[in-house]
Amino acid sequence: MSETLEAKLAAALAAKGPGYVPRTHHLDARGRPKYTNRLILEASPYLLQHAHNPVDWRPWGDEAFAEARRLRRPVFLSVGYSTCHWCHVMEGESFEDVEIAGFLNANYVCIKVDREERPDVDAIYMAAVQNLTGSGGWPMSVFLTPDREPFFGGTYFPPRDGARGARMGFLTLLRELRKKYDAEPDKIRQAAESISQAIKKDMEGPDAGVSRGVPGPEAIAATVEYLKKIFDATHGGLRRAPKFPSNIPVRLLLRYHRRTGDAQALAMATLTLDKMAAGGMYDQVGGGFHRYSTDERWLVPHFEKMLYDNALLAVAYAEAFQVTGRADFARVVREVLDYVLREMTSSSGAFHSATDADSEGEEGKFFYWTGKEVEQVLGAEAVRFLAYYSLSEEGIVFVGKPDVAEHAALAGARKKLFDVRAKRIPPLRDDKILAAWNGLMISALAVGGRVLNEPRYVEAAGRAADFVLTKMREKDGRVRRSHTLVHGFLEDQAFVVAGLIDMAEATFDARWLKEALAISETLEAHFADDQRGGWFMTAASGEKLLAREKPHYDGAEPSGTSVAILNALRLATFTSDDRWRQIAERGLSSVHEVLTERPLGMTEGLLAVDHHSDVPREVAVVWPAGVDAGPLLDVLRKTFLPSRALAGLQEGQATRVPFAEGKVTQGGKPTAYVCERGRCELPTADPAVFAAQLRKTIPYTR
């Protein structure tokens, strides 16, 4: 290490200040870290977690690969994120181990990547790991040539032979791979080239010129029928463990029910929502959903909480409330959004990324309760509390049999437990602000605020949207990945646009629609595939990696492709500009094969198929100055109408929404207009007539 680099690292460490607590057990007698590597110079909370490992970590970049080429060494790439439990485990077992770190430093160039900052890098090497092993996950461990081509990979590795029952531990693997790299360079090169070609083929999509057409609603019907076969009729979700909320497309089931009247589709959606909200995967004391359930009952969670999970689930529960009118679904929306505003919102109004699964070195410790603790806190009220709530063997609070009235009656008891829990050492919070995830939460707050008539949620969404628009934009108008990273990805643009469209519908403020259109135009200029339709994950000016991915898979988060297609369809309705419909159809055509042959891999894309196969409603509410349009707006809030554009304005007010222009009140009363492609129903001031117009449903046709 050069003297200049040592000085930079020392200065970065000194700048952390006297309250800085190094995340390492390698400390000197004065409590200072014995090791500091280049990650101390980074902004990512995940990279900073590893800044004091004895491993000589480097961030992703040309410098690291040039060093590997100079030293003729392979690269060890480790990808994870700050709230990943098994990432912490591998760090403690291997990256904090001086012997293992010493071997890595002497034989590899070691790179750390935060998957949340660099989803493009993560996607490429996750494809490699899945190609090699048939599965993937984090931590992700990949071995590369200096040309960035992968030749071996996996996820978590135990540190040594025999640990956790493993035949071969990480240290032995490192030794064997280095031997093969030196002894069999031709085989390593061939393996790397073969894997790289497979990645490129998978991620860049079909060849140009292939005519595929726009998928029809039969893809939705086939998906729902398959879901019926694998649905868990007892616990909701799919018949498997672990259970992830994204495995069962609740919002698609609600749309299918609306278009077909299929009662089973609705029952599948509501049972899943019921069981998730009653289980331990939901934080019964503080609100908000944990990452996933490790069992089939939604009981024992993996305890990290992700911003995107809570955003997506809040929208699902809000839509289910519209469909069913159930107060408990509305309550879950409020509790989730209140949790986000209380614990995940920065002083700037934007939203933090996640909280860890671990506290005090133990997963879930912050959330566990014993019966004795509950009795000490609640006294005589504990009997009633424990009659409604149960405690698992692990100490997880869950609901045996939900009851709306009893839940409300126990609000005070929950508050007492929450206040006591707040004094515990909390899990680490990843305070990184990501544009894409903020876009999802802006949508959740805008939708939740509109549906529940809660202005404070819409106002919070507006503060976050203002932050993104003013602090996270490049000079060319693109949205940055975070306020510390210049480059942004497709999902950053698309998710923010979706949030802005939802803000336009929640506030009737034309500013949000204007900004949504501006970012959408920028998205087309920098990310669109002009030859084949659809969009690349990275901008044309972005770093050249092994492949330029065209996202075509919806996982825990929707793909940027799915959201961009739906955005274009919504903008087509808002603007009456057919260009946006054409953009959407080219996007749908680009993922035709996935949506028709493997639709479970892109269920968020099927929301766009549902929208495209519908006739979207153009809904405008107009009111005279000083007159309350509340009764009509209340109808609009409570009606499940997924294919629509909503506008509202005071009579005579200018608007950017063409279908709302020139609309006037009838008899001086607030008046609603429901139109389809420019053809309008008779305007009405009667909420009952308005509701009937909105409920009109167009069945699937082909």
Side-chain angles (χ1 to χ4, degrees), residues 125-416:
Y125 295 103
M126 183 60 73
V129 170
Q130 290 171 333
N131 184 280
L132 287 162
T133 69
S135 61
W138 300 276
M140 180 165 59
S141 306
V142 196
F143 297 84
L144 318 178
T145 70
D147 294 323
R148 312 187 189 206
E149 294 185 329
F151 62 87
F152 187 83
T155 53
Y156 161 80
F157 293 104
R160 288 177 172 79
D161 301 353
R164 299 185 185 271
R167 182 183 63 83
M168 180 184 289
F170 186 52
L171 182 57
T172 300
L173 176 66
L174 292 173
R175 289 170 175 157
E176 292 298 318
L177 287 175
R178 183 60 205 257
K179 286 179 184 177
K180 287 189 176 183
Y181 185 84
D182 292 337
E184 303 175 357
D186 290 342
K187 286 187 178 180
I188 293 291
R189 185 175 60 256
Q190 289 170 8
E193 290 176 354
S194 175
I195 296 167
S196 297
Q197 287 301 314
I199 293 171
K200 190 175 181 68
K201 181 178 179 181
D202 178 62
M203 301 188 79
E204 295 188 350
D207 295 333
V210 178
S211 178
R212 294 171 295 276
V214 176
E218 61 272 11
I220 300 173
T223 303
V224 173
E225 290 307 311
Y226 181 69
L227 288 170
K228 290 177 180 179
K229 295 176 183 177
I230 58 175
F231 183 71
D232 184 339
T234 302
H235 303 295
L238 304 186
R239 292 196 302 270
R240 64 174 63 167
K243 282 187 173 180
F244 291 82
S246 58
N247 287 154
I248 184 76
V250 167
R251 297 180 65 207
L252 182 67
L253 292 171
L254 296 176
R255 283 155 177 75
Y256 186 77
H257 166 72
R258 172 180 173 266
R259 301 286 294 277
T260 66
D262 188 315
Q264 187 177 355
L266 178 60
M268 290 163 64
T270 55
L271 178 65
T272 300
L273 295 173
D274 283 341
K275 295 297 185 180
M276 284 195 298
M281 198 188 79
Y282 186 67
D283 183 354
Q284 303 293 340
V285 172
F289 286 91
H290 297 293
R291 181 70 192 86
Y292 62 86
S293 170
T294 62
D295 65 297
E296 65 179 7
R297 298 169 53 198
W298 307 103
L299 176 57
V300 181
H302 182 44
F303 283 93
E304 62 189 310
K305 287 183 178 180
M306 310 300 293
L307 184 68
Y308 60 79
D309 281 324
N310 284 283
L312 295 166
L313 285 166
V315 174
Y317 277 90
E319 291 188 345
F321 167 66
Q322 288 181 311
V323 174
T324 65
R326 286 178 44 176
D328 54 336
F329 288 162
R331 186 255 306 164
V332 172
V333 178
R334 289 190 177 91
E335 289 178 353
V336 169
L337 297 182
D338 286 344
Y339 149 72
V340 170
L341 295 184
R342 182 182 68 242
E343 299 183 31
M344 297 297 287
T345 305
S346 72
S347 59
S348 67
F351 306 110
H352 300 303
S353 293
T355 53
D356 210 325
D358 299 5
S359 53
E360 300 182 73
E362 180 181 340
E363 182 178 6
K365 184 175 182 179
F366 180 78
F367 301 97
Y368 290 140
W369 293 93
T370 65
K372 185 177 180 180
E373 287 174 320
V374 172
E375 290 170 358
Q376 288 175 339
V377 174
L378 299 184
E381 197 175 10
V383 174
R384 183 175 184 179
F385 183 89
L386 292 173
Y388 179 70
Y389 290 103
S390 299
L391 292 178
S392 72
E393 293 180 4
E394 299 85 357
I396 300 164
V397 181
F398 68 99
V399 180
K401 188 176 181 181
D403 180 276
V404 173
E406 191 65 2
H407 183 277
L410 290 168
R414 288 192 301 276
K415 178 65 166 58
K416 291 177 184 177

Side-chain angles (χ1 to χ4, degrees), residues 628-646:
D628 181 17
L632 293 178
L633 297 179
D634 193 48
V635 168
L636 199 53
R637 292 185 189 102
K638 293 179 180 178
T639 303
F640 181 54
L641 187 66
S643 307
R644 90 275 152 163
L646 310 180

Side-chain angles (χ1 to χ4, degrees), residues 570-585:
R570 296 176 74 185
L571 290 175
T573 307
F574 262 108
T575 64
S576 303
D577 184 347
D578 199 53
R579 170 173 164 261
W580 292 110
R581 180 189 60 79
Q582 294 170 7
I583 288 170
E585 289 182 347

